[in-house]
Each structure stands twice: as structure tokens, then as C-alpha cells.
Amino acid sequence: MTSENSRPLPVDKPLVLGGREFHSRLFVGTGKYATFELMVEALEASGCEVVTVALRRVDLDAHKRGEKNLLDYLDRSKYTILPNTAGCFTKEEAIKVCLLARELGLGDMVKLEVLSEQKTLLPDPIETLEATKVLVKEGFKVLAYTNDDPVTAKKLEEAGATAVMPLGSPIGSGLGILNPTNISIILENAQVPIIVDAGVGTASDVAIAMELGVDGVLLNTGIACAQDPVKMARAMKLACEAGRLAYLAGRIPKKRYASASSPAKDF
């Protein structure tokens, strides 16, 4: 099927990660919420099916004190828990966290995040690639967070990553999609799902990412630090759906000059 402008329409393929099919293309994190109860409400409003958890920030000793930790607030029948290695700055640290996640019964699908330094929190592509190779050999399904460099993205795919997650902009910056051209190039060359991760500040950022044709968007700060996280979560959900639909519909080409919306006709 083709649209009026004669370009082939994109093919709508289901999102499959680690052998499991997902309907929601919005992935939501669990950090920075004022309360766990607010987090639960926002996750519900987002319609997400995959929830990321930074294991280094989970109080694993809470039960010894008779208290709940973050994991206790997540309904495992509703959400797929995606452990992530946030806060890791070496491949050794990241690999250790992934092994811990598996020991805790959180499965073998992980979001790999190896950062370069504290100020920018940009990913370290070399450490990330090396960690991906090790984890794939260990049987993990790796969703690899990286910069928006097409070469790095392809190398991660070739290393066996289940999905590649290029940043939209630096973590928590709210700057949105700074380099849509690079994201488009990554998509052209990819044979695995591409999920934009980091930098999303508001609903329009999600829509822009999805209109590029990415397979999903992962965000946390944009919801958790909004003045009303629950309303923002619903806005992100709708933006994700709208952006995907717009991508599948096939937008009109951009033109330098005007084009009449009504045909010229004599009466």
C-alpha cells in the first residue's frame, strides 16, 4: 500500500524483545518520584508494560527491617521488570549488577548503561560494547544504552544486543531529540529494535521520536519530575501512540514553497 505521495508506507511490526511481544511502546523508569504510591499511579497512567529499575538504588536490606522496597510496589503480573545498570561507570560494575538481577529472579533481559563520567552522564561506548559482548555470552538479552552515533549503534547490534537505545539528549536534561538525523541513520541500518532513551522532557519529544520510526521510547525524569506526574504520564502515553500512528500514516514531504490544499477549478 502506498500513500498519495507515492512513497511506500511503513510496515507495522509488533515490538518483540527477548521473545516477548509488547503492545505499549513506552518504557518508564521508577526513579525520582516523591513517593512509591505516586510512582505506581504514574506507571498506571502511562500504560507502559516495561518498567526499568536501577538495582543499585533498590534497598535490598529493607525486608530485614520489616520495610518494603521499590520492587514490592511493582505488580509483576502487570509489568515486565527491566533491571538497569544505572550508576555504573565500568563494564565490571555493570556486569556484576546484571548477574545480581538474575540471581534475584528478575530474568535475563537487562538495560545496559555504562557511563563515562559524572558531569554529563554520557555513555561510554567502548565499555558498553565490551560489556555487551560478555553479557551476550552469559545468555543475557541486552538492551544497550548508547550515544546517537550510527557506527556505535551498529557495533552493538553486531555484538548481539537485543535492542539498541540511542539517547535523545543527556540523561535528565529534558532537551528532547537533539539529533534526529543520526537517529534516522541508525534506523536505516538497524536489524534490531531501536528505542530512544534519555532526555525526553515532554509529550512532544516522545511524538517526535516515534514519528522518526523508532520502536519505542524510554523515559523517567520527564514524568517523575513533572509538576503533575500522573497527568504527564498520560500525556506521554498519548504522544507515543500519536507519534507511532503518524509514522505509519506517512507524513507529507516538506516543501520550500506553498502548495494549494484545494485543486484549481473553473466554475
Side-chain angles (χ1 to χ4, degrees), residues 5-184:
N5 59 41
S6 299
R7 293 180 300 171
L9 285 174
V11 177
D12 190 13
K13 299 177 181 178
L15 175 58
V16 178
L17 297 169
R20 182 173 174 183
E21 185 174 319
F22 297 96
H23 300 288
S24 172
R25 293 174 181 270
L26 191 67
F27 299 66
V28 181
T30 53
K32 302 183 180 181
Y33 288 93
T35 66
F36 286 137
E37 290 77 13
L38 181 60
M39 175 195 74
V40 170
E41 194 175 354
L43 293 177
E44 179 70 27
S46 76
C48 71
E49 295 173 273
V50 178
V51 174
T52 67
V53 173
L55 277 193
R56 296 191 64 168
R57 295 168 188 156
V58 174
D59 184 357
L60 297 176
D61 293 323
H63 291 170
K64 296 178 182 178
R65 303 190 302 271
E67 301 172 0
K68 290 183 177 182
N69 65 29
L70 186 155
L71 293 172
D72 296 316
Y73 286 86
L74 301 175
D75 185 346
R76 299 286 293 276
S77 67
K78 182 184 296 184
Y79 302 116
T80 293
I81 307 301
L82 181 64
N84 73 54
T85 62
C88 292
F89 290 84
T90 67
K91 60 180 182 292
E92 291 82 9
E93 285 182 294
I95 292 166
K96 185 182 296 185
V97 169
C98 291
L99 292 171
L100 174 60
R102 189 153 64 183
E103 288 179 13
L104 290 172
L106 297 178
D108 56 11
M109 189 164 73
V110 295
K111 176 196 165 185
L112 175 63
E113 180 178 311
V114 187
L115 304 176
S116 58
E117 44 78 37
Q118 288 281 358
K119 183 177 181 179
T120 65
L121 297 180
L122 290 171
D124 184 320
I126 297 174
E127 293 283 290
T128 301
L129 181 59
E130 291 302 314
T132 298
K133 293 176 181 177
V134 173
L135 291 169
V136 168
K137 287 181 180 179
E138 291 288 337
F140 285 93
K141 298 174 179 65
V142 180
L143 281 64
Y145 170 67
T146 184
N147 52 31
D148 57 11
D149 172 39
V151 175
T152 302
K154 195 62 183 177
K155 286 184 179 295
L156 288 167
E157 178 185 323
E158 292 169 349
T162 294
V164 176
M165 310 180 79
L167 55 77
S169 53
I171 292 172
S173 67
L175 292 172
I177 313 302
L178 291 183
N179 200 335
T181 300
N182 272 22
I183 300 294
S184 295

